[in-house]
mmCIF file of all heavy atoms in Angstrom:
data_model
loop_
_atom_site.group_PDB
_atom_site.id
_atom_site.type_symbol
_atom_site.label_atom_id
_atom_site.label_comp_id
_atom_site.label_asym_id
_atom_site.label_seq_id
_atom_site.Cartn_x
_atom_site.Cartn_y
_atom_site.Cartn_z
ATOM 1 N N GLY A 178 6.199 -2.779 9.693
ATOM 2 C CA GLY A 178 6.520 -2.085 8.436
ATOM 3 C C GLY A 178 5.596 -2.553 7.328
ATOM 4 O O GLY A 178 5.019 -3.640 7.391
ATOM 5 N N ALA A 179 5.543 -1.724 6.285
ATOM 6 C CA ALA A 179 4.726 -2.097 5.100
ATOM 7 C C ALA A 179 5.551 -1.687 3.871
ATOM 8 O O ALA A 179 6.009 -0.529 3.763
ATOM 9 C CB ALA A 179 3.355 -1.410 5.102
ATOM 10 N N LEU A 180 5.676 -2.647 2.966
ATOM 11 C CA LEU A 180 6.358 -2.342 1.680
ATOM 12 C C LEU A 180 5.272 -2.408 0.603
ATOM 13 O O LEU A 180 4.645 -3.406 0.362
ATOM 14 C CB LEU A 180 7.389 -3.470 1.455
ATOM 15 C CG LEU A 180 8.249 -3.356 0.180
ATOM 16 C CD1 LEU A 180 9.028 -2.049 0.187
ATOM 17 C CD2 LEU A 180 9.227 -4.472 0.094
ATOM 18 N N LEU A 181 5.037 -1.266 -0.001
ATOM 19 C CA LEU A 181 3.930 -1.067 -0.912
ATOM 20 C C LEU A 181 4.379 -1.042 -2.402
ATOM 21 O O LEU A 181 5.371 -0.365 -2.732
ATOM 22 C CB LEU A 181 3.173 0.224 -0.634
ATOM 23 C CG LEU A 181 2.945 0.530 0.851
ATOM 24 C CD1 LEU A 181 2.155 1.830 0.998
ATOM 25 C CD2 LEU A 181 2.196 -0.626 1.529
ATOM 26 N N THR A 182 3.674 -1.775 -3.250
ATOM 27 C CA THR A 182 3.962 -1.722 -4.670
ATOM 28 C C THR A 182 2.651 -1.627 -5.432
ATOM 29 O O THR A 182 1.572 -1.931 -4.918
ATOM 30 C CB THR A 182 4.677 -3.072 -5.117
ATOM 31 O OG1 THR A 182 3.752 -4.129 -5.028
ATOM 32 C CG2 THR A 182 5.893 -3.348 -4.315
ATOM 33 N N PHE A 183 2.713 -1.244 -6.726
ATOM 34 C CA PHE A 183 1.564 -1.141 -7.545
ATOM 35 C C PHE A 183 0.939 -2.531 -7.720
ATOM 36 O O PHE A 183 -0.290 -2.695 -7.739
ATOM 37 C CB PHE A 183 1.844 -0.522 -8.864
ATOM 38 C CG PHE A 183 2.257 0.913 -8.809
ATOM 39 C CD1 PHE A 183 3.506 1.335 -9.208
ATOM 40 C CD2 PHE A 183 1.363 1.876 -8.340
ATOM 41 C CE1 PHE A 183 3.872 2.702 -9.125
ATOM 42 C CE2 PHE A 183 1.714 3.222 -8.248
ATOM 43 C CZ PHE A 183 3.017 3.600 -8.668
ATOM 44 N N GLY A 184 1.777 -3.520 -7.901
ATOM 45 C CA GLY A 184 1.288 -4.904 -8.067
ATOM 46 C C GLY A 184 0.540 -5.384 -6.770
ATOM 47 O O GLY A 184 -0.425 -6.058 -6.880
ATOM 48 N N GLY A 185 1.061 -4.951 -5.637
ATOM 49 C CA GLY A 185 0.402 -5.323 -4.407
ATOM 50 C C GLY A 185 -0.965 -4.710 -4.276
ATOM 51 O O GLY A 185 -1.942 -5.339 -3.808
ATOM 52 N N LEU A 186 -1.098 -3.444 -4.678
ATOM 53 C CA LEU A 186 -2.375 -2.818 -4.643
ATOM 54 C C LEU A 186 -3.369 -3.481 -5.593
ATOM 55 O O LEU A 186 -4.559 -3.673 -5.229
ATOM 56 C CB LEU A 186 -2.218 -1.328 -5.059
ATOM 57 C CG LEU A 186 -3.516 -0.492 -4.992
ATOM 58 C CD1 LEU A 186 -4.105 -0.510 -3.609
ATOM 59 C CD2 LEU A 186 -3.241 0.934 -5.440
ATOM 60 N N LYS A 187 -2.898 -3.948 -6.731
ATOM 61 C CA LYS A 187 -3.748 -4.643 -7.666
ATOM 62 C C LYS A 187 -4.272 -5.938 -6.992
ATOM 63 O O LYS A 187 -5.462 -6.281 -7.140
ATOM 64 C CB LYS A 187 -2.984 -4.976 -8.945
ATOM 65 C CG LYS A 187 -3.823 -5.806 -9.970
ATOM 66 C CD LYS A 187 -2.995 -6.171 -11.176
ATOM 67 C CE LYS A 187 -3.845 -6.999 -12.162
ATOM 68 N NZ LYS A 187 -4.277 -8.314 -11.567
ATOM 69 N N THR A 188 -3.377 -6.633 -6.308
ATOM 70 C CA THR A 188 -3.781 -7.906 -5.706
ATOM 71 C C THR A 188 -4.871 -7.650 -4.588
ATOM 72 O O THR A 188 -5.794 -8.421 -4.447
ATOM 73 C CB THR A 188 -2.588 -8.585 -5.032
ATOM 74 O OG1 THR A 188 -1.599 -8.820 -6.095
ATOM 75 C CG2 THR A 188 -2.947 -9.936 -4.440
ATOM 76 N N VAL A 189 -4.740 -6.543 -3.852
ATOM 77 C CA VAL A 189 -5.698 -6.191 -2.831
ATOM 78 C C VAL A 189 -7.035 -5.838 -3.478
ATOM 79 O O VAL A 189 -8.083 -6.286 -3.031
ATOM 80 C CB VAL A 189 -5.169 -5.050 -1.988
ATOM 81 C CG1 VAL A 189 -6.328 -4.495 -1.090
ATOM 82 C CG2 VAL A 189 -4.026 -5.502 -1.101
#
Side-chain angles (χ1 to χ4, degrees):
L180 182 59
L181 317 181
T182 68
F183 293 117
L186 182 59
K187 176 183 180 298
T188 303
V189 168

